[in-house]
Amino acid sequence: DSGVTQTPKHLITATGQRVTLRCSPRSGDLSVYWYQQSLDQGLQFLIQYYNGEERAKGNILERFSAQQFPDLHSELNLSSLELGDSALYFCASSAGTLGANVLTFGAGSRLTVL
Amino acid sequence: AQKITQTQPGMFVQEKEAVTLDCTYDTSDQSYGLFWYKQPSSGEMIFLIYQGSYDEQNATEGRYSLNFQKARKSANLVISASQLGDSAMYFCAMRAPAGNTGKLIFGQGTTLQVKP
């Protein structure tokens, strides 16, 4: 157990639907990162929050949004889902953002869009 | 722009032998960090080893070592005495401090299969 908790582990939904993925970071970690892993795109950075504020944005679609709450858990909202959104979505956390601060990953949420 | 390149999509190694997984990177920053992660078939991402750009010694963690050649911009992972449990996908990643974000940029990964 990495200490980063992601729910749900698996999710199957239909095109056009909206889903929410949840992440609880490791205790004490202030930074949360979301990544998307698909076969053709590899591991793509989506977005990062640090202590409740957005710190960096990557290749995140406008249909996707995220936030980090005061208790530091984070949610990734995916709307108007398309077949191509099927992927493994990882949340990771770290204590800081510099140097050797390691990203600790959750087990991932596997999204299947039918 | 920062980029990580892993040119070996798949590798085979005999059990108990050593194997080197290649990673080259591109950045204009002088200060950066390099990471290797392992992703077994179960899917989780496991941190293996870290090398800072100013570290003079190559990083080692148990059977893992990082062959860091700064001038060549390479950060190859060496796994000694391979075990069957080492069969997995391996990702090289880089953090550069620009913007103080902490995010990692990942390569495409190398799948390693250890033969008994």
Side-chain angles (χ1 to χ4, degrees):
Chain A
D1 183 1
S2 69
V4 179
T5 304
Q6 287 189 248
T7 56
K9 286 189 172 14
H10 300 276
L11 192 54
I12 302 174
T13 189
T15 54
Q17 295 298 304
R18 182 181 190 274
V19 299
T20 297
L21 309 181
R22 194 180 192 278
C23 170
S24 294
R26 220 170 44 142
S27 178
D29 286 356
L30 297 178
S31 199
V32 169
Y33 311 76
W34 287 97
Y35 283 84
Q36 178 194 58
Q37 185 179 28
S38 58
L39 283 174
D40 55 343
Q41 294 287 330
L43 263 166
Q44 295 289 313
F45 169 72
L46 295 179
I47 197 163
Q48 177 207 359
Y49 285 84
Y50 183 82
N51 203 19
E53 294 192 359
E54 183 183 304
R55 180 64 71 91
K57 218 166 186 176
N59 300 321
I60 188 166
L61 300 171
E62 285 192 12
R63 300 183 285 107
F64 295 1
S65 64
Q67 56 183 322
Q68 186 180 29
F69 294 87
D71 66 352
L72 300 178
H73 92 271
S74 177
E75 291 181 358
L76 178 66
N77 301 296
L78 316 175
S79 61
S80 302
L81 285 167
E82 302 175 359
L83 296 178
D85 298 327
S86 295
L88 184 56
Y89 291 84
F90 281 111
C91 169
S93 71
S94 68
T97 59
L98 298 176
N101 274 288
V102 172
L103 267 63
T104 302
F105 282 77
S109 292
R110 185 167 295 281
L111 172 67
T112 303
V113 182
L114 300 176
Chain B
Q2 296 147 15
K3 189 177 178 183
I4 292 281
T5 303
Q6 294 180 252
T7 56
Q8 306 154 312
M11 292 274 290
F12 287 93
V13 65
Q14 206 67 38
E15 193 178 8
K16 298 180 185 176
E17 292 186 350
V19 62
T20 297
L21 306 183
D22 294 342
C23 171
T24 58
Y25 59 91
D26 189 18
T27 180
S28 56
D29 291 296
Q30 296 302 307
S31 174
Y32 50 88
L34 297 155
F35 299 75
W36 278 91
Y37 281 81
K38 172 184 178 181
Q39 185 178 36
S41 57
S42 51
E44 72 269 31
M45 294 285 288
I46 302 165
F47 166 72
L48 296 178
I49 196 166
Y50 166 81
Q51 178 86 41
S53 60
Y54 292 120
D55 294 342
E56 294 187 354
Q57 303 277 345
N58 284 342
T60 60
E61 289 285 351
R63 293 186 300 110
Y64 304 110
S65 60
L66 202 151
N67 184 359
F68 181 47
Q69 298 187 44
K70 197 169 181 176
R72 299 177 66 177
K73 291 192 173 178
S74 74
N76 299 338
L77 177 71
V78 181
I79 306 174
S80 63
S82 297
Q83 302 172 356
L84 296 178
D86 294 334
S87 293
M89 180 162 275
Y90 289 81
F91 290 95
C92 181
M94 177 172 64
R95 166 186 289 141
N100 189 22
T101 70
K103 70 182 183 186
L104 299 186
I105 305 299
F106 285 84
Q108 288 295 103
T110 295
T111 300
L112 176 67
Q113 291 193 36
V114 181
K115 294 181 176 180

